[in-house]
Amino acid sequence: MTTWLITGASRGIGREMAEQALTRGDRVAATLRRPEQLDDLAEKFGDRLWRARLDVTDNAQIEDATARAFAENERIDVVVSNAGLGVFGAGEDLTDEQVEGTIATNLTGSIQLVRRAIPHLRAQGGGVFVQLSSMGGHITFPGFAIYHATKWGVEGYFEALAAEIEPFGIKTMLVEPGMVRTSFYDAAARVPLSEPYRGGPADAPLPSVEDMVASQSGVAHATIEAALSDNPPLRLLLNSDAYEAVTSTVRGRLASLEGRREAAYAADAEYPAPLSV
Protein backbone atom coordinates (compact mmCIF):
# COMPACT_ATOMS: atom_id res chain seq x y z
CA MET A 1 0.00 0.00 0.00
CA THR A 2 1.37 3.39 -1.04
CA THR A 3 0.68 6.36 1.21
CA TRP A 4 0.23 9.77 -0.39
CA LEU A 5 0.29 13.23 1.17
CA ILE A 6 -1.68 15.56 -1.13
CA THR A 7 -2.18 19.28 -0.57
CA GLY A 8 -5.04 21.22 -2.15
CA ALA A 9 -7.16 18.07 -2.21
CA SER A 10 -10.52 19.85 -2.17
CA ARG A 11 -10.98 20.03 -5.95
CA GLY A 12 -9.38 19.65 -9.36
CA ILE A 13 -6.30 17.50 -9.85
CA GLY A 14 -5.65 17.19 -6.10
CA ARG A 15 -9.07 15.71 -5.39
CA GLU A 16 -8.85 13.51 -8.48
CA MET A 17 -5.48 12.12 -7.40
CA ALA A 18 -6.77 11.46 -3.89
CA GLU A 19 -9.80 9.59 -5.20
CA GLN A 20 -7.80 7.56 -7.72
CA ALA A 21 -5.19 6.62 -5.10
CA LEU A 22 -7.89 5.53 -2.65
CA THR A 23 -9.64 3.51 -5.36
CA ARG A 24 -6.32 1.74 -6.04
CA GLY A 25 -6.33 0.62 -2.41
CA ASP A 26 -3.76 3.17 -1.26
CA ARG A 27 -3.83 5.44 1.78
CA VAL A 28 -4.14 9.22 1.41
CA ALA A 29 -3.23 11.99 3.83
CA ALA A 30 -5.17 14.92 2.37
CA THR A 31 -4.80 18.55 3.38
CA LEU A 32 -7.16 21.36 2.45
CA ARG A 33 -8.62 24.50 3.94
CA ARG A 34 -11.96 22.81 4.68
CA PRO A 35 -11.52 19.11 5.49
CA GLU A 36 -15.29 18.57 5.49
CA GLN A 37 -15.18 18.88 1.70
CA LEU A 38 -13.93 15.29 1.64
CA ASP A 39 -16.68 13.86 3.86
CA ASP A 40 -17.93 11.76 0.95
CA LEU A 41 -14.52 10.13 0.45
CA ALA A 42 -14.18 9.53 4.20
CA GLU A 43 -17.52 7.77 4.22
CA LYS A 44 -16.55 5.62 1.25
CA PHE A 45 -12.94 4.78 2.12
CA GLY A 46 -12.92 4.97 5.91
CA ASP A 47 -9.64 5.21 7.77
CA ARG A 48 -7.56 5.00 4.59
CA LEU A 49 -8.26 8.74 4.29
CA TRP A 50 -6.49 10.99 6.79
CA ARG A 51 -7.38 14.69 6.74
CA ALA A 52 -5.92 17.91 8.09
CA ARG A 53 -6.70 21.59 7.71
CA LEU A 54 -4.00 23.48 5.83
CA ASP A 55 -3.63 26.92 4.32
CA VAL A 56 -0.29 26.79 2.49
CA THR A 57 0.25 30.51 3.03
CA ASP A 58 0.55 29.84 6.78
CA ASN A 59 4.00 28.47 7.68
CA ALA A 60 2.89 27.35 11.14
CA GLN A 61 0.08 25.29 9.61
CA ILE A 62 2.49 23.77 7.06
CA GLU A 63 4.84 22.78 9.89
CA ASP A 64 2.04 21.27 11.96
CA ALA A 65 0.21 19.45 9.17
CA THR A 66 3.41 17.99 7.70
CA ALA A 67 4.69 16.78 11.07
CA ARG A 68 1.33 15.23 11.94
CA ALA A 69 0.99 13.52 8.56
CA PHE A 70 4.35 11.79 8.92
CA ALA A 71 3.80 11.00 12.61
CA GLU A 72 0.28 9.62 12.25
CA ASN A 73 0.92 7.57 9.12
CA GLU A 74 3.44 4.76 9.14
CA ARG A 75 5.22 6.18 6.11
CA ILE A 76 4.58 8.81 3.43
CA ASP A 77 5.79 7.47 0.10
CA VAL A 78 4.76 10.36 -2.16
CA VAL A 79 4.18 14.01 -1.27
CA VAL A 80 2.10 15.92 -3.83
CA SER A 81 2.25 19.71 -3.65
CA ASN A 82 -0.85 20.71 -5.56
CA ALA A 83 -2.39 23.78 -3.91
CA GLY A 84 -2.54 26.77 -6.23
CA LEU A 85 -4.60 29.62 -7.64
CA GLY A 86 -4.71 31.85 -10.69
CA VAL A 87 -5.41 35.48 -11.49
CA PHE A 88 -6.33 36.74 -14.95
CA GLY A 89 -5.45 40.36 -15.62
CA ALA A 90 -2.76 42.72 -16.89
CA GLY A 91 0.22 42.78 -14.56
CA GLU A 92 -0.20 46.48 -13.83
CA ASP A 93 -3.89 46.14 -12.96
CA LEU A 94 -3.51 43.54 -10.20
CA THR A 95 -3.75 44.68 -6.60
CA ASP A 96 -0.81 44.26 -4.24
CA GLU A 97 -2.86 41.68 -2.36
CA GLN A 98 -3.42 39.64 -5.53
CA VAL A 99 0.28 39.71 -6.40
CA GLU A 100 1.38 38.75 -2.91
CA GLY A 101 -1.38 36.16 -2.42
CA THR A 102 -0.61 34.36 -5.67
CA ILE A 103 3.10 34.22 -4.91
CA ALA A 104 2.42 33.09 -1.35
CA THR A 105 0.18 30.24 -2.49
CA ASN A 106 1.83 29.03 -5.69
CA LEU A 107 5.51 29.64 -5.01
CA THR A 108 6.31 30.35 -1.37
CA GLY A 109 3.83 27.74 -0.14
CA SER A 110 5.40 25.08 -2.35
CA ILE A 111 8.89 25.99 -1.16
CA GLN A 112 7.91 25.95 2.50
CA LEU A 113 6.12 22.61 2.14
CA VAL A 114 9.06 20.80 0.57
CA ARG A 115 11.49 22.32 3.09
CA ARG A 116 9.46 20.80 5.89
CA ALA A 117 8.91 17.47 4.13
CA ILE A 118 12.60 16.84 3.34
CA PRO A 119 13.73 15.96 6.92
CA HIS A 120 10.91 13.42 7.25
CA LEU A 121 11.57 11.88 3.83
CA ARG A 122 15.29 11.72 4.59
CA ALA A 123 14.66 10.09 7.98
CA GLN A 124 12.55 7.34 6.40
CA GLY A 125 15.15 6.68 3.71
CA GLY A 126 13.60 8.47 0.75
CA GLY A 127 10.40 9.04 -1.17
CA VAL A 128 9.03 11.09 -4.04
CA PHE A 129 8.10 14.76 -3.99
CA VAL A 130 5.68 15.76 -6.76
CA GLN A 131 5.27 19.46 -7.49
CA LEU A 132 2.37 20.54 -9.71
CA SER A 133 3.68 23.06 -12.19
CA SER A 134 2.30 23.85 -15.63
CA MET A 135 3.22 24.34 -19.25
CA GLY A 136 3.04 27.93 -18.00
CA GLY A 137 6.40 27.30 -16.36
CA HIS A 138 7.96 27.31 -19.85
CA ILE A 139 5.70 29.55 -21.93
CA THR A 140 3.63 32.65 -21.27
CA PHE A 141 0.30 34.21 -22.19
CA PRO A 142 -0.49 37.94 -21.86
CA GLY A 143 -2.88 38.58 -19.00
CA PHE A 144 -1.49 35.79 -16.83
CA ALA A 145 1.89 37.25 -15.84
CA ILE A 146 1.74 36.71 -12.08
CA TYR A 147 0.80 33.03 -12.53
CA HIS A 148 3.75 32.56 -14.89
CA ALA A 149 6.05 34.27 -12.40
CA THR A 150 5.17 31.68 -9.78
CA LYS A 151 5.46 28.69 -12.10
CA TRP A 152 8.78 29.79 -13.58
CA GLY A 153 9.97 30.24 -10.01
CA VAL A 154 8.76 26.76 -9.08
CA GLU A 155 10.61 25.28 -12.06
CA GLY A 156 13.92 26.89 -11.11
CA TYR A 157 13.66 26.11 -7.43
CA PHE A 158 12.79 22.46 -7.84
CA GLU A 159 15.34 21.80 -10.58
CA ALA A 160 18.11 23.00 -8.25
CA LEU A 161 16.58 21.27 -5.23
CA ALA A 162 16.31 17.93 -7.06
CA ALA A 163 20.09 17.65 -7.27
CA GLU A 164 20.49 18.63 -3.62
CA ILE A 165 18.16 15.97 -2.20
CA GLU A 166 18.74 13.08 -4.61
CA PRO A 167 21.61 11.71 -2.43
CA PHE A 168 19.01 11.17 0.31
CA GLY A 169 16.96 8.88 -1.94
CA ILE A 170 14.36 11.61 -2.55
CA LYS A 171 13.13 11.96 -6.14
CA THR A 172 11.54 15.21 -7.33
CA MET A 173 9.05 15.43 -10.19
CA LEU A 174 7.61 18.58 -11.77
CA VAL A 175 4.24 17.88 -13.39
CA GLU A 176 3.55 20.24 -16.30
CA PRO A 177 0.01 19.84 -17.67
CA GLY A 178 -1.58 21.83 -20.45
CA MET A 179 -5.04 23.36 -20.14
CA VAL A 180 -6.93 20.95 -17.91
CA ARG A 181 -10.71 20.82 -17.61
CA THR A 182 -10.90 21.55 -13.88
CA SER A 183 -12.56 24.16 -11.68
CA PHE A 184 -9.24 26.06 -11.57
CA TYR A 185 -10.32 28.47 -14.31
CA ASP A 186 -13.72 29.04 -12.72
CA ALA A 187 -12.09 29.84 -9.37
CA ALA A 188 -9.42 32.15 -10.84
CA ALA A 189 -9.92 35.85 -10.16
CA ARG A 190 -10.60 38.04 -13.17
CA VAL A 191 -9.37 41.60 -12.97
CA PRO A 192 -11.06 44.05 -15.38
CA LEU A 193 -8.61 45.59 -17.80
CA SER A 194 -7.83 49.25 -17.36
CA GLU A 195 -8.34 51.48 -20.40
CA PRO A 196 -4.75 51.42 -21.75
CA TYR A 197 -4.86 47.61 -22.11
CA ARG A 198 -8.23 47.30 -23.82
CA GLY A 199 -7.91 45.93 -27.32
CA GLY A 200 -4.29 44.91 -26.70
CA PRO A 201 -2.63 41.50 -26.18
CA ALA A 202 -3.96 41.18 -22.61
CA ASP A 203 -7.51 41.60 -23.91
CA ALA A 204 -7.63 38.25 -25.66
CA PRO A 205 -10.62 35.98 -24.84
CA LEU A 206 -10.05 33.56 -21.99
CA PRO A 207 -9.92 29.86 -22.90
CA SER A 208 -13.20 27.99 -22.77
CA VAL A 209 -13.70 24.47 -21.47
CA GLU A 210 -14.16 23.34 -25.06
CA ASP A 211 -10.62 24.55 -25.85
CA MET A 212 -9.08 22.40 -23.12
CA VAL A 213 -7.89 19.05 -24.40
CA ALA A 214 -6.67 17.70 -21.06
CA SER A 215 -8.80 15.92 -18.49
CA GLN A 216 -8.05 16.00 -14.79
CA SER A 217 -8.55 12.23 -14.59
CA GLY A 218 -5.92 11.70 -17.29
CA VAL A 219 -3.44 14.04 -15.65
CA ALA A 220 -3.99 12.44 -12.24
CA HIS A 221 -3.57 8.92 -13.65
CA ALA A 222 -0.37 9.82 -15.54
CA THR A 223 1.06 11.52 -12.46
CA ILE A 224 0.35 8.55 -10.22
CA GLU A 225 1.92 6.12 -12.70
CA ALA A 226 5.04 8.26 -13.11
CA ALA A 227 5.45 8.83 -9.36
CA LEU A 228 5.32 5.08 -8.74
CA SER A 229 7.72 4.21 -11.56
CA ASP A 230 11.26 3.02 -10.87
CA ASN A 231 12.73 6.29 -12.10
CA PRO A 232 10.33 9.25 -11.94
CA PRO A 233 11.29 11.96 -14.45
CA LEU A 234 12.38 15.39 -13.26
CA ARG A 235 9.75 16.87 -15.59
CA LEU A 236 6.49 15.26 -16.66
CA LEU A 237 5.07 17.28 -19.56
CA LEU A 238 1.47 16.21 -20.10
CA ASN A 239 -1.16 16.73 -22.79
CA SER A 240 -0.82 17.41 -26.49
CA ASP A 241 -1.32 21.18 -26.19
CA ALA A 242 1.50 21.44 -23.67
CA TYR A 243 3.82 19.28 -25.73
CA GLU A 244 3.28 21.26 -28.92
CA ALA A 245 3.46 24.69 -27.26
CA VAL A 246 6.48 23.99 -25.06
CA THR A 247 8.59 22.19 -27.67
CA SER A 248 7.84 24.89 -30.25
CA THR A 249 8.75 27.65 -27.79
CA VAL A 250 11.97 25.95 -26.71
CA ARG A 251 13.05 25.43 -30.33
CA GLY A 252 12.36 29.10 -31.10
CA ARG A 253 14.24 30.22 -28.01
CA LEU A 254 17.23 28.08 -28.93
CA ALA A 255 17.25 29.45 -32.48
CA SER A 256 17.19 32.99 -31.12
CA LEU A 257 20.09 32.27 -28.77
CA GLU A 258 22.14 30.66 -31.52
CA GLY A 259 21.59 33.75 -33.68
CA ARG A 260 23.24 35.86 -30.98
CA ARG A 261 26.22 33.57 -30.37
CA GLU A 262 28.81 36.04 -31.68
CA ALA A 263 27.52 38.82 -29.44
CA ALA A 264 27.53 36.49 -26.44
CA TYR A 265 31.15 35.49 -26.97
CA ALA A 266 32.20 39.07 -27.71
CA ALA A 267 31.14 40.05 -24.19
CA ASP A 268 33.94 37.81 -22.83
CA ALA A 269 36.51 40.39 -23.97
CA GLU A 270 37.18 43.61 -22.13
CA TYR A 271 34.96 46.33 -23.62
CA PRO A 272 35.63 48.97 -24.67
CA ALA A 273 39.08 47.85 -25.75
CA PRO A 274 41.87 49.53 -23.79
CA LEU A 275 43.76 52.28 -25.60
CA SER A 276 47.14 51.19 -26.90
CA VAL A 277 50.11 53.05 -25.49
Side-chain angles (χ1 to χ4, degrees):
M1 182 187 296
T2 299
T3 301
W4 304 74
L5 169 57
I6 303 173
T7 70
S10 60
R11 56 186 173 85
I13 294 171
R15 161 123 186 172
E16 183 71 31
M17 286 191 69
E19 191 160 3
Q20 287 192 25
L22 290 164
T23 301
R24 286 168 47 93
D26 292 344
R27 180 171 173 80
V28 172
T31 69
L32 57 168
R33 293 189 183 198
R34 294 169 49 205
E36 65 272 14
Q37 289 179 288
L38 297 186
D39 282 351
D40 58 324
L41 296 186
E43 183 177 349
K44 183 176 181 180
F45 296 103
D47 61 7
R48 284 197 289 114
L49 175 65
W50 179 97
R51 291 178 285 176
R53 188 179 310 278
L54 174 59
D55 177 348
V56 296
T57 67
D58 186 322
N59 289 343
Q61 284 192 27
I62 294 175
E63 182 81 44
D64 178 68
T66 305
R68 286 176 52 210
F70 278 90
E72 297 175 20
N73 293 275
E74 188 173 325
R75 175 185 172 89
I76 302 289
D77 301 286
V78 186
V79 179
V80 181
S81 175
N82 168 74
L85 55 83
V87 180
F88 291 105
E92 181 186 353
D93 290 341
L94 272 57
T95 66
D96 289 347
E97 290 75 17
Q98 288 170 326
V99 170
E100 293 162 5
T102 305
I103 292 172
T105 301
N106 294 5
L107 178 56
T108 309
S110 298
I111 291 171
Q112 299 292 27
L113 176 67
V114 71
R115 291 181 63 241
R116 285 155 177 80
I118 288 169
H120 299 286
L121 293 169
R122 183 172 58 234
Q124 69 182 20
V128 179
F129 193 96
V130 176
Q131 175 61 52
L132 263 292
S133 182
S134 165
M135 69 175 180
H138 293 281
I139 63 175
T140 62
F141 298 98
F144 216 30
I146 192 61
Y147 179 82
H148 291 304
T150 63
K151 292 305 181 184
W152 282 56
V154 157
E155 293 277 335
Y157 183 84
F158 279 89
E159 180 170 323
L161 184 76
E164 296 174 3
I165 62 179
E166 188 173 13
F168 308 138
I170 305 171
K171 296 288 187 179
T172 301
M173 186 169 75
L174 286 157
V175 179
E176 303 164 333
M179 292 185 182
V180 186
R181 299 181 184 185
T182 72
S183 56
F184 173 86
Y185 288 94
D186 294 332
R190 287 161 169 77
V191 179
L193 290 174
S194 59
E195 194 280 330
Y197 292 97
R198 292 172 193 162
D203 203 9
L206 296 179
S208 66
V209 171
E210 291 72 24
D211 296 327
M212 301 177 188
V213 300
S215 70
Q216 66 181 27
S217 60
V219 169
H221 176 75
T223 302
I224 288 171
E225 291 298 308
L228 296 180
S229 66
D230 292 336
N231 189 27
L234 173 60
R235 285 184 169 84
L236 183 66
L237 185 63
L238 295 175
N239 312 121
S240 57
D241 60 340
Y243 182 86
E244 295 299 331
V246 171
T247 56
S248 175
T249 298
V250 171
R251 283 193 295 267
R253 193 173 294 147
L254 181 58
S256 176
L257 293 173
E258 289 174 340
R260 301 296 300 169
R261 182 179 185 276
E262 186 176 342
Y265 275 68
D268 288 351
E270 187 175 350
Y271 184 83
L275 295 174
S276 59
V277 178

